[in-house]
Amino acid sequence: MVRRRWMGVAALAAAGVAAVMVAVNPLERDKRAAGAADGALMAEGWRVRLAGAAVAERVSAREYQANLEEYADRDALDSDPYLTELVDSVAAPLVAAARDLYPQTRDWAWEWHLAESEEVNAWCLPGGRMMVLSGLLSEEILDDDRDRLATVMAHEVAHALLQHSRETMGRAWVAQGLAWTMAKSLKIGALRESQMVGTLKTALLDPHSRARETEADVLGLELMTRAGFAPAKAVETWERMSERLDPEARTALVQRAMAFLSDHPSDSERLARMKALQPKTRPLAAKARHWDWLVHGTDDAQIDALQRAAAAFGLDSMTDGRSGELVAVAASAEGLNGRQAASEVEEALSNSSLRQGGVLQMGLSALLRGAGGWERLRRIEQAWSKLPHRTPLLHDSGQIADLDLSEEDRDHAAAAVDRVRAYLKSPYFQRRLWRDAAEELGKTRPKARQAILQRLSALSLGSERPA
């Protein structure tokens, strides 16, 4: 009798779910752009999404705004200029690739921020709202490596592109509805009803969580490759994260990363999958849009404009106030005279900082954003070039008052100076600048490389992480 009663209730609940499915018509197909299936690592597919896109959008917008206010109240939102530019340099090309791949996302409210926190985490909510917590960029986790960060951010963006949150919300509603129907029919108490909800959610959600993580891995790998990042770094990144699961390798910071790692399991299955997919990424990498993340591909005129703007602001020669000291270290290590050592170090600085994602390139990004775009930056540079006695604006920002520009343009010129000055003062910028220069110099001067790295370690540049 009891068994028949259970079967009847289950049938009633199943019928209710079926009725909802028919009424809501939750089947949706993820559609890629025309021609985007060529080289795709994951095919289009039909999905059951009971939660509407508008509902997920409203929920995510509220949650994101609450996060922004929380970090802003603590002066912890986008507060380090170097790390903020680093996140920008990864997010912008990933978003451009996502828009190319899924045209329906071009209307999303894409947004991203960096928050200072020892927590190790990053996420992308429905509608393209992203957050990176600075603990993820610690030396012990990802460091400030753009390809590693792209691996994690692409994985999170993939969850949003596949609208996994809508699937999760829908299954949670189904579990809640089934539990309520069965509880009322069987006349069980509130405690038993709560236990039933938990059991049904586990049954409905857990088997799918690994599948969703796998999908985000695969689409994330494709996305970062299309955006011009190195797909091989995905293997390195998850291997690096997997090592953090070793209890013997855990520090206090890594202990705080356990929650993130548990949600993003770095197991042997994931690593094997990433390695197996590497050959399939090569055709995508060969034709990837290796765009400059400032302008999505610079032409000769824009490169020339950048060089003139860099000279106008003084970004064509970057130092951190310790150049003389570190040149002396290189000269002593290699037995060079001061002039030769300074020349070689300056060349190493220039070569390393101009690479994609190099510190000069990100400094130019800060300059462009501070100026408010290409056209205004061009006007500022042209006005500066007409001054009879001019020096770089970073060295003498008082000249801005003499520029033949509108008040609005002069305000943007001042904002650009402030933004770039803050960027250059970041201890993370200093550490990255000299570390990259040491590696470049080490191609011909290995002793100088080792001496500079040792000196940097002693100076503890950028060693203090955000709290």
Side-chain angles (χ1 to χ4, degrees):
M1 185 69 179
V2 174
R3 182 178 179 185
R4 288 180 181 176
R5 187 180 177 190
W6 272 95
M7 290 176 65
V9 171
L12 177 63
V17 171
V20 171
M21 297 282 280
V22 171
V24 175
N25 189 21
L27 283 176
E28 293 183 4
R29 187 176 181 85
D30 292 321
K31 294 183 179 179
R32 291 181 171 227
D38 184 25
L41 301 185
M42 191 174 74
E44 295 178 356
W46 290 95
R47 297 175 179 277
V48 176
R49 295 180 178 128
L50 289 170
V55 173
E57 171 74 12
R58 286 196 299 271
V59 171
S60 71
R62 287 198 302 267
E63 181 180 344
Y64 195 70
Q65 186 60 36
N67 276 279
L68 293 182
E69 292 174 1
E70 176 190 347
Y71 290 116
D73 288 345
R74 302 200 318 245
D75 293 324
L77 191 67
D78 299 324
S79 56
D80 183 87
Y82 171 75
L83 294 182
T84 299
E85 296 298 338
L86 177 70
V87 172
D88 284 343
S89 78
V90 173
L94 288 178
V95 169
R99 284 171 164 165
D100 281 349
L101 200 56
Y102 293 96
Q104 62 269 31
T105 67
R106 291 171 187 170
D107 295 330
W108 282 14
W110 290 101
E111 185 178 352
W112 53 86
H113 292 276
L114 168 83
E116 289 184 12
S117 171
E118 291 186 346
E119 184 182 349
V120 176
N121 210 346
W123 61 84
C124 182
L125 299 177
R129 297 173 177 88
M130 289 178 268
M131 184 75 74
V132 175
L133 303 187
S134 59
L136 189 67
L137 300 174
S138 69
E139 290 181 74
E140 292 178 277
I141 308 299
L142 299 183
D143 206 357
D144 57 356
D145 186 288
R146 293 176 69 248
D147 292 287
R148 291 178 194 151
L149 179 58
T151 300
V152 174
M153 290 187 72
H155 176 98
E156 299 303 324
V157 170
H159 277 303
L161 292 176
L162 296 170
Q163 302 185 67
H164 283 157
S165 61
R166 290 177 58 197
E167 297 176 23
T168 301
M169 289 170 66
R171 289 193 176 95
W173 293 347
V174 170
Q176 189 79 41
L178 282 172
W180 184 86
T181 300
M182 296 176 74
K184 298 308 177 188
S185 298
L186 295 170
K187 299 180 180 180
I188 63 177
L191 179 60
R192 291 283 304 281
E193 181 178 341
S194 176
Q195 292 172 340
M196 186 178 291
V197 170
T199 300
L200 286 171
K201 282 185 177 180
T202 299
L204 284 169
L205 298 178
D206 283 4
H208 298 277
S209 61
R210 180 167 289 273
R212 286 192 289 270
E213 286 299 313
T214 297
E215 288 180 337
D217 279 348
V218 175
L219 182 57
L221 179 62
E222 179 180 344
L223 190 66
M224 68 178 289
T225 304
R226 289 182 183 273
F229 295 99
K233 279 296 189 77
V235 176
E236 175 195 305
T237 300
W238 294 121
E239 283 179 337
R240 186 181 178 93
M241 298 289 267
S242 181
E243 290 170 359
R244 301 309 184 260
L245 294 174
D246 182 356
E248 295 182 0
R250 294 180 191 173
T251 62
L253 178 63
V254 174
Q255 290 285 357
R256 289 191 290 273
M258 289 301 103
F260 176 79
L261 295 177
S262 65
D263 289 338
H264 302 72
S266 298
D267 53 18
S268 58
E269 181 182 341
R270 159 175 273 165
L271 292 174
R273 181 168 55 250
M274 289 291 101
K275 291 176 181 177
L277 287 171
Q278 290 300 306
K280 295 182 180 180
T281 64
R282 288 169 193 152
L284 288 175
K287 60 182 180 182
R289 288 176 57 186
H290 289 275
W291 52 63
D292 183 303
W293 36 266
L294 287 174
V295 293
H296 297 184
T298 52
D299 56 28
D300 290 342
Q302 288 170 327
I303 290 173
D304 183 54
L306 267 179
Q307 290 174 338
R308 293 197 306 271
F313 280 82
L315 263 178
D316 54 341
S317 177
M318 297 192 305
T319 66
D320 67 346
R322 290 191 170 98
S323 57
E325 180 181 0
L326 292 174
V327 166
V329 171
S332 175
E334 294 285 352
L336 305 172
N337 62 53
R339 179 176 297 179
Q340 184 178 0
S343 174
E344 292 191 21
V345 168
E346 182 66 27
E347 182 179 2
L349 280 171
S350 177
N351 291 340
S352 61
S353 64
L354 279 170
R355 287 196 295 263
Q356 182 168 342
V359 291
L360 176 55
Q361 195 187 55
M362 286 195 287
L364 291 169
S365 171
L367 175 62
L368 181 62
R369 292 188 178 95
W374 277 103
E375 290 305 317
R376 183 173 282 116
L377 182 60
R378 186 177 291 110
R379 290 198 298 270
I380 294 170
E381 183 275 322
Q382 289 174 347
W384 174 84
S385 68
K386 295 175 183 177
L387 293 177
H389 305 289
R390 57 185 182 271
T391 56
L393 293 174
L394 284 169
H395 303 158
D396 181 10
S397 59
Q399 298 170 101
I400 292 174
D402 300 325
L403 297 178
D404 184 17
L405 293 169
S406 68
E407 191 65 30
E408 183 181 5
D409 281 356
R410 283 197 291 269
D411 287 344
H412 277 85
V417 167
D418 290 343
R419 182 163 183 159
V420 175
R421 278 179 176 168
Y423 172 78
L424 297 177
K425 289 179 181 178
S426 168
Y428 307 109
F429 159 80
Q430 297 170 19
R431 180 171 64 93
R432 175 66 181 273
L433 176 71
W434 287 104
R435 188 178 62 188
D436 286 358
E439 295 298 337
E440 182 71 20
L441 190 62
K443 295 176 181 178
T444 55
R445 301 289 187 181
K447 293 180 181 178
R449 170 190 175 277
Q450 187 62 30
I452 289 176
L453 292 177
Q454 288 177 348
R455 184 58 178 155
L456 284 175
S457 177
L459 291 171
S460 299
L461 291 180
S463 61
E464 295 183 6
R465 309 307 296 183

